[in-house]
C-alpha cells in the first residue's frame, strides 16, 4: 500500500501478541475472555462489508496525493493488515514481517477492534488510510500526510454507509 491509498483489511493479525525466544519472534493467537479458548491468528473481515467497500471504492474519486516529490492517484485496495504497538521505520524488519504475514499494511489499532468484534460476533471491516511508507522517515510522512489519509478512509466509509 502507498501513502494516500485506502486499504480494506481482508484479514487482520495482532503481530504484537507473541513469544520472543532465542529461536526468534513468533506471533500467537490472542485469547477469548476465558483465557483458555484461542482466537484465530488472523481475524477475517466480514465478506459482505468487504464487498460493499470494494464497490464503494470503485464509485468514488480520491484526490491526488503528492508524496516524496511525485504526485499519484490513491487507490482503494484490499490486503492483510498487521497491527502491533510499534511504529517501525526499519525497512528490513518491516519487509521480514511482510514476508511472514503477507501484510501490505502496518498499523497499531485494527487488531484490537477486530478481536473485539470477532469475540462479540459483530461483523467488521478495518478500513485504513495510508499516511506513510513503512520505512525510513515514515514518521515525517505520517505527520504530513495523515489528514489526507484520514479523509480518504472517511470517504470510503461514508460511501459504504450510504449503501447500508
Amino acid at each position: 500500500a502507498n501513502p494516500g491509498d485506502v486499504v480494506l483489511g481482508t484479514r487482520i493479525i495482532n503481530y504484537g501478541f507473541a513469544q520472543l525466544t532465542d529461536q526468534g519472534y513468533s506471533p500467537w493467537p490472542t485469547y477469548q475472555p476465558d483465557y483458555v479458548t484461542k482466537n484465530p491468528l488472523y481475524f477475517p473481515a466480514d465478506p459482505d462489508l468487504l464487498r460493499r467497500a470494494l464497490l464503494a471504492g470503485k464509485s468514488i474519486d480520491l484526490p491526488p496525493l503528492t508524496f516524496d516529490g511525485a504526485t499519484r492517484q490513491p487507490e482503494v485496495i484490499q490486503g492483510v493488515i498487521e497491527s502491533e504497538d510499534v511504529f517501525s521505520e526499519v525497512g528490513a524488519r518491516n519487509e521480514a514481517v511482510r514476508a511472514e504475514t503477507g501484510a501490505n499494511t502496518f498499523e497499531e489499532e485494527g487488531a484490537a477492534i477486530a478481536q473485539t468484534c470477532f469475540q462479540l460476533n459483530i461483523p467488521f471491516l478495518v478500513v485504513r488510510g495510508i499516511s506513510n511508507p513503512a520505512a525510513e522517515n515514515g514518521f515525517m510522512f505520517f505527520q504530513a500526510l495523515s489528514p489526507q489519509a484520514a479523509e480518504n478512509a472517511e470517504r470510503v466509509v461514508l460511501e459504504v454507509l450510504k449503501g447500508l
Side-chain angles (χ1 to χ4, degrees):
N2 293 300
D5 288 347
V6 175
V7 176
L8 309 173
T10 56
R11 56 192 191 138
I12 316 302
I13 181 173
N14 182 345
Y15 196 78
F17 189 69
Q19 179 182 29
L20 180 60
T21 67
D22 289 337
Q23 286 73 42
Y25 187 89
S26 301
W28 285 357
T30 55
Y31 288 91
Q32 291 281 333
D34 64 11
Y35 294 103
V36 174
T37 308
K38 290 184 178 181
N39 290 313
L41 184 58
Y42 291 84
F43 297 101
D46 179 75
D48 185 54
L49 289 174
L50 179 59
R51 180 187 59 77
R52 290 172 183 269
L54 286 168
L55 289 173
K58 292 178 182 176
S59 68
I60 62 171
D61 290 319
L62 299 175
L65 177 85
T66 300
F67 161 69
D68 209 17
T71 300
R72 64 176 298 276
Q73 183 62 48
E75 301 176 75
V76 177
I77 61 174
Q78 54 187 329
V80 176
I81 296 177
E82 180 265 4
S83 288
E84 64 180 306
D85 293 335
V86 173
F87 189 101
S88 174
E89 295 182 299
V90 181
R93 182 249 188 218
N94 295 343
E95 284 302 318
V97 173
R98 184 185 327 277
E100 179 183 350
T101 64
N104 68 346
T105 303
F106 297 86
E107 50 93 282
E108 293 80 32
E109 302 86 12
I113 301 302
Q115 178 178 339
T116 301
C117 290
F118 178 85
Q119 289 177 338
L120 296 173
N121 202 29
I122 297 171
F124 74 90
L125 175 66
V126 176
V127 177
R128 196 69 194 189
I130 303 302
S131 60
N132 59 280
E136 187 177 338
N137 296 321
F139 193 70
M140 177 185 68
F141 289 110
F142 168 78
Q143 290 176 311
L145 303 177
S146 287
Q148 188 166 351
E151 182 181 324
N152 287 354
E154 177 186 22
R155 287 176 186 225
V156 172
V157 169
L158 290 174
E159 192 66 25
V160 171
L161 292 175
K162 285 181 192 176
L164 293 179

